[in-house]
């Protein structure tokens, strides 16, 4: 395949408004997998604000048959991937532009544009897929009104869907039929969608707070209807939440979700017609785990929330992607916390979100793909749907919320929609609305400085130093900030960093925070009691804060709730961490204290030259502290499970300058064995206390109990490996067979696999036989094996063997991810082989996938981007593997951008 089209970098500073505007689009599709005919009739006019110039329309892999202007033939040129029209009517009057093209959906393996999945037509237009359907101004600031007519064979494609309202349908000759849809809302073309195929729907009618009726539909394949209840419940909950929390209602008579098993990402917010990866729709207790249920709740909500944040107000250009994604992730995270209920269940969700941010986004921020939340340039925009744009972007919105308060933030959102409804805008417009609604806030005072969060890449470090003056009874906290260089950004200016702070005495009692009157900080003028928590706002490179009326040096609880996306360097003593772990009233920092203790032990050991096998990495005090969390009478099971989960290998690796991935793996395994053996009685207790056999309910509390019981089983199987015990593995095997829900069954299966027990093999076979007709469960089956702890290099041969399995299919992204990504991205101990065979496998798969689906290939290509941190021999072997990929002619822009950046110095 010869690739053509744009091969150079796109820059934010080059933004220019469109030279033409498209008011209406009338699309007519004759759907046929081999050759679909697309008639596109647009009403176009010159943009009065832009000097006259030719019209350049984007198009990719299209066969052009006809171009008419006001019904008459016209001259045109094809330049690369653009259709150029030079002799268009002068003046401001609109003209009719008619373009007739064909495309080949059955051959579309990239899953961008119009494609076929299991005999059904789907579209994916974000970011630039619409140009693979018809010639168009494929940019988000061109918004038009759409009318869409779909024509197809009635028997094979009984359901014909597009955005908006169904206005007409009927029969055609030759067994064909048609449907016509009109979208009442103007939209950018990336929100266009159509679906045509054999589908069935779960339907629900609801009445909004405004008294309007709406029809909700979830379309799936015939056998899957019994797996749509949870998605529908999640959708209804999301609709109600957005009305109550932000006063935002559904603006459509009909809201549809359609599931497909071939999808590049999680889901897509097309106006009124969301298209979802089946993984984020389908669930019943027999096939889906608690994690799946939670993901479905948050992705359904995420896409629904885009209806306002993204669709009603959209992005001016793709550099502003975080305008919709950061804000919408923030909204779905808030929603999921509210759905969790109790304060500690909310904290569990917060910890999970922070864990994602710190393991994935912090790594991205310190690697070759580091980019600001609003990037300055890209070669392929698909490479910038990143944890930085999404998750760090959400943290920036959360910091705005922190700086203006909950009511202030709601007022800011209201102003944002008053000003910008129906427009395509920038992240500056969003921040300005929040600030303008809160003129007296710290955000409004510091807005230009705050915006550095959007323009400067890299994770800021804040280091804290303290001093206690017993005579003055004064405690001083000095905070200083810095940010490491990132590609293209050697120097950084200081950020606005909100730091939540509380103080405790040595017995774990909270202490009032009295800000001193004479230290530059605002004095306490009111007679009210001093608060137990304060928000400090760090704006300088270095700032000092004083607190008075203290009898002894307090234990500071810094950055509570993870109030900013930074690394906090503070030299806590072990004793202080143990106090916080036992007493901090902020559950996030309680968890954080345990993480710090365990991470410190792990890093000290990794840096030493002691033998890791059977090592005592964790000291008795830390083990004791973990035990008391596990046995704690009041803490939630879900919270306990998080505290007892060891820091990820990738997280430990990020803390090191030079990484020996095998040593990191061995030390983490040693810690796990230690926890398994030392806390053996406690794990038995935890299992007995938390295993439920009642009916399955997906709520946070029962999910937490299952998670802790599952962890206990894993620990008991790991211990059995050391002690030769046969009872626990036997019980676990039995659980694989007789569990009454997928969560418990999968925990048991993964306990055997993780422990490398001989029963893992028959358990895997049993599991496969039970679920061979459930693709999403078979994905788990592949993923579990590819992610298993390596014993003597056995994982890679198994992965190669599984690639030959009849159920393996590289063209299906979920399946490719379940086997290949689980090995290359999620199993560092098995992937980083000293013989480089893991890297060879990686480079083969990147090239193989690039010919099929560049978006998926580019994600895999990122598995080795942190190669410069590796010790030898891994470092040289990794560079060689990347260079091998980079040397291939005809790489997609997607993969080329990733490997070129990885190799740059
Ligand atoms: N806008 C989608 C979301 O975050 C993301 C998405 C879905 C996407 N499919 C895509 C992005 C394909 C790029 C390419 O909700
Ligand atoms: Zn999104």
């Amino acid at each position: 395949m010869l690739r053509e089209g744009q091969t150079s970098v796109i820059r934010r500073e080059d933004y220019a408004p469109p030279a033409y505007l498209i008011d209406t689009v009338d699309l007519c599709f004759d759907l046929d997998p081999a050759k679909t005919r697309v008639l596109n009739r647009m009403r176009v006019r010159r943009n009065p604000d832009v000097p006259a110039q030719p019209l350049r329309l984007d198009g990719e892999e299209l066969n052009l048959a006809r171009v008419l202007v006001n019904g008459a033939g016209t001259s045109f040129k094809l330049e690369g991937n653009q259709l150029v029209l030079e002799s268009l009517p002068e003046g401001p009057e609109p003209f009719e532009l008619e373009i007739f093209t064909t495309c080949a959906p059955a051959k579309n393996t990239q899953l961008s544009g119009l494609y076929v999945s299991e005999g059904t037509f789907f579209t994916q237009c974000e970011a630039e897929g619409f140009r693979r359907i018809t010639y168009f101004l494929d940019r988000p600031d061109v918004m038009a009104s759409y009318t869409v007519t779909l024509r197809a064979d009635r028997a094979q494609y009984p359901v014909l869907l597009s955005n908006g309202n169904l206005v007409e349908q009927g029969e055609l000759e030759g067994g064909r039929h048609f449907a016509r849809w009109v979208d009442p809302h103007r939209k950018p073309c990336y929100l266009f969608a159509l679906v045509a195929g054999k589908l069935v729907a779960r339907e629900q009618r609801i009445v909004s707070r405004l008294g309007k009726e709406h029809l909700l539909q979830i379309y799936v394949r015939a056998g899957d209807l019994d797996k749509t209840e949870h998605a529908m419940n999640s959708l209804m909950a999301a609709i109600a939440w957005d009305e109550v929390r932000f006063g935002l209602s559904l603006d459509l008579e009909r809201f549809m979700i359609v599931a497909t098993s071939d999808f590049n990402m999680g889901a897509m917010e097309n106006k009124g017609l969301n298209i979802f990866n089946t993984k984020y729709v389908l669930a019943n207790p027999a096939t889906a785990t608690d994690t799946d249920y939670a993901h479905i709740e948050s992705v359904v909500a995420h896409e629904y929330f885009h209806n306002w944040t993204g669709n009603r107000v959209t992005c001016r250009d793709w550099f502003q992607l975080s305008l919709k994604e950061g804000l919408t992730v923030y909204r779905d995270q808030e929603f999921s916390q509210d759905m969790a209920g109790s304060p500690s269940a909310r904290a569990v969700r917060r910890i999970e979100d922070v864990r994602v941010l710190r393991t994935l986004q912090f790594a991205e921020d310190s690697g070759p793909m580091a980019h600001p939340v609003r990037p300055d340039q890209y070669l392929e925009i698909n490479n910038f749907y990143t944890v930085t744009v999404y998750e760090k972007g959400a943290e920036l919105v959360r910091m705005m919320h922190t700086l203006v308060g909950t009511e202030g933030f709601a007022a800011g959102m209201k102003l944002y929609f008053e000003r910008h409804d129906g427009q395509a805008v920038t992240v500056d417009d969003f921040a300005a609305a929040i600030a303008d609604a809160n003129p007296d806030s710290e955000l409004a005072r510091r807005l230009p400085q705050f915006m550095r969060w959007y323009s400067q890449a890299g994770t800021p470090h804040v280091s804290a130093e303290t001093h206690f003056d017993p005579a003055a009874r004064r405690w001083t906290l000095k905070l200083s900030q810095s940010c490491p260089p990132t590609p293209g950004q050697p120097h950084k200016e200081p950020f606005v960093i909100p730091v939540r702070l509380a103080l405790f005495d040595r017995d774990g009692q909270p202490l009032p925070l009295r800000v001193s009157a004479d230290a530059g900080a605002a004095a306490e003028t009111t007679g009210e009691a001093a608060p137990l928590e304060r928000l400090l706002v760090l704006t300088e490179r270095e700032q000092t804060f004083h607190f008075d009326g203290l009898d002894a040096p307090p234990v500071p609880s810094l950055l509570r709730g993870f109030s900013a996306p930074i690394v906090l360097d503070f030299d806590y003593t072990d004793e202080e961490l143990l106090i916080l772990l036992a007493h901090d009233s902020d559950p996030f920092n309680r968890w954080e204290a345990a993480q710090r203790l365990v991470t410190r032990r792990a890093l000290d050991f990794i840096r030493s030259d002691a033998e890791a096998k059977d090592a005592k990495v964790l000291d008795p005090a830390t083990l004791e502290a973990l035990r008391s969390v596990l046995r704690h009478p009041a803490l939630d099971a879900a919270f306990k499970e998080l505290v007892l989960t060891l820091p990820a290998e990738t997280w430990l690796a990020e803390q090191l300058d030079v990484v020996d991935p095998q040593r990191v793996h061995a030390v983490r395994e040693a810690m796990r064995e230690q926890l398994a053996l030392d806390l053996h009685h406690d794990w038995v207790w935890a299992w007995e206390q938390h295993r439920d056999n009642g009916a399955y309910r997906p709520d946070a509390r029962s999910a937490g109990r299952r998670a802790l019981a599952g962890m206990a089983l894993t620990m008991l199987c790991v211990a059995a490996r050391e002690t030769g015990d046969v009872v626990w593995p036997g019980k676990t095997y039995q659980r694989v067979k007789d569990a009454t829900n997928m969560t418990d069954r999968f925990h048991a299966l993964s306990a055997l696999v993780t422990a490398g027990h001989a029963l893992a093999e028959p358990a895997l076979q049993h599991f496969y036989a039970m679920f061979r007709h459930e693709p999403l469960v078979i994905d788990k089956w592949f993923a579990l094996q590819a992610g298993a702890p390596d014993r003597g290099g056995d994982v890679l041969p198994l992965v190669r063997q599984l690639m030959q399995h009849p159920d393996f299919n590289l063209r299906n992204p979920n399946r490719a991810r379940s086997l290949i990504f689980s090995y290359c991205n999620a199993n560092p101990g098995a992937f980083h082989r000293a013989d480089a065979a893991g890297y060879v496998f990686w480079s083969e798969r990147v090239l193989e996938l690039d010919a099929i689906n560049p978006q998926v290939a580019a994600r895999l290509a990122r598995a080795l981007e942190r190669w410069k941190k590796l010790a030898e021999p891994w470092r040289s072997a990794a560079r060689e593997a990347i260079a091998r990929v980079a040397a291939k002619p005809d790489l997609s822009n997607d993969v080329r951008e990733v490997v070129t950046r990885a190799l740059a110095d």
Side-chain angles (χ1 to χ4, degrees), residues 637-682:
F639 180 77
K640 295 179 178 186
E641 198 265 346
L642 287 177
V643 170
L644 283 137
T645 298
L646 294 167
E649 284 170 45
T650 46
W651 168 250
L652 295 173
E654 280 303 318
Q655 320 300 307
L656 298 161
D657 294 326
V658 180
V659 180
D660 171 345
Q662 291 304 329
R663 182 154 179 88
V664 172
H665 177 68
V667 170
R668 189 172 185 275
E669 287 290 291
M671 291 195 292
R672 178 150 65 185
E673 262 172 35
Q674 235 190 318
L675 276 183
L677 292 168
D678 266 69
L679 272 56
H680 194 270
H681 294 299
D682 311 284

Side-chain angles (χ1 to χ4, degrees), residues 74-89:
T74 183
S75 64
F76 61 85
K77 286 192 296 194
L78 286 170
E79 283 179 14
N81 276 344
Q82 289 189 326
L83 171 65
V84 185
L85 300 172
E86 279 170 336
S87 43
L88 290 168

Side-chain angles (χ1 to χ4, degrees), residues 269 302-303 306 324-325 328 390:
E269 70 265 24
H302 179 99
E303 305 311 330
H306 268 315
K324 72 179 180 78
E325 296 305 345
T328 304
Y390 277 64

Side-chain angles (χ1 to χ4, degrees), residues 708-780:
L708 191 59
M711 175 181 250
L713 265 195
T714 297
M715 290 301 185
L716 292 165
C717 288
V718 167
R721 183 177 71 208
E722 302 304 306
T723 61
D725 161 50
V726 295
V727 175
W728 282 104
K731 282 193 190 187
T732 306
Y733 183 52
Q734 197 53 39
R735 184 87 165 169
V736 174
K737 291 190 183 164
D738 63 20
T740 56
N741 61 70
M742 178 52 75
T743 305
D744 288 338
R745 193 185 309 279
F746 197 71
H747 278 148
L749 181 65
S750 88
L752 291 171
V753 171
T754 302
H757 197 275
L759 286 171
E761 193 50 45
L764 281 164
Q765 280 174 25
H766 179 87
F767 187 88
Y768 177 80
M770 269 186 96
F771 296 105
R772 54 183 310 170
H773 301 300
E774 296 286 355
L776 294 171
V777 182
I778 296 305
D779 287 338
K780 297 181 199 301

Side-chain angles (χ1 to χ4, degrees), residues 415-434:
L415 183 59
Y416 174 60
F417 290 112
E418 278 166 17
R419 284 183 180 172
H420 300 299
D421 191 8
Q423 300 175 8
V425 304
T426 66
V427 294
D428 301 293
D429 295 320
F430 175 74
I434 305 296

Side-chain angles (χ1 to χ4, degrees), residues 176-300:
R176 293 172 76 78
H177 69 147
F178 80 97
R180 179 167 297 130
W181 294 80
V182 175
D183 189 342
H185 300 278
R186 288 167 74 240
K187 64 172 176 286
C189 67
Y190 81 87
L191 293 173
F192 165 81
L194 75 79
V195 173
K198 279 194 197 106
L199 299 165
V200 293
R202 172 186 289 268
E203 296 196 340
Q204 176 79 48
R205 284 177 198 278
I206 59 162
V207 179
S208 74
R209 288 217 308 175
L210 303 171
K212 287 221 178 85
E213 274 194 45
H214 307 271
L215 173 62
L216 312 179
Q217 295 176 310
I218 300 183
Y219 284 91
V220 296
R221 286 157 61 84
D224 287 330
L225 215 47
D226 67 325
K227 303 195 187 80
T228 53
E229 186 186 352
H230 180 63
M232 184 62 89
N233 288 341
S234 303
L235 178 58
M236 290 193 291
I239 293 172
W241 185 89
D242 220 11
E243 288 188 332
V244 171
R245 175 78 176 259
F246 290 113
L248 299 173
S249 327
L250 179 52
D251 58 4
L252 294 155
E253 287 162 36
R254 190 201 264 249
F255 188 85
M256 299 171 276
I257 287 177
V258 189
T260 169
S261 53
D262 292 286
F263 204 71
N264 283 347
M265 307 269 284
M268 179 63 213
E269 70 265 24
N270 316 302
K271 187 78 188 183
L273 181 56
N274 290 357
I275 298 182
F276 271 62
N277 189 323
T278 44
K279 182 174 165 56
Y280 297 110
V281 176
L282 303 181
N284 67 27
T287 59
T289 62
D290 291 329
T291 309
D292 297 324
Y293 273 80
H295 285 160
I296 289 166
E297 182 180 275
S298 83
V299 178
V300 167

Side-chain angles (χ1 to χ4, degrees), residues 127-138:
E128 297 177 334
F130 194 70
R131 63 184 64 183
R132 296 167 57 78
I133 297 174
T134 183
Y135 282 100
F136 206 73
L137 287 173
D138 191 354

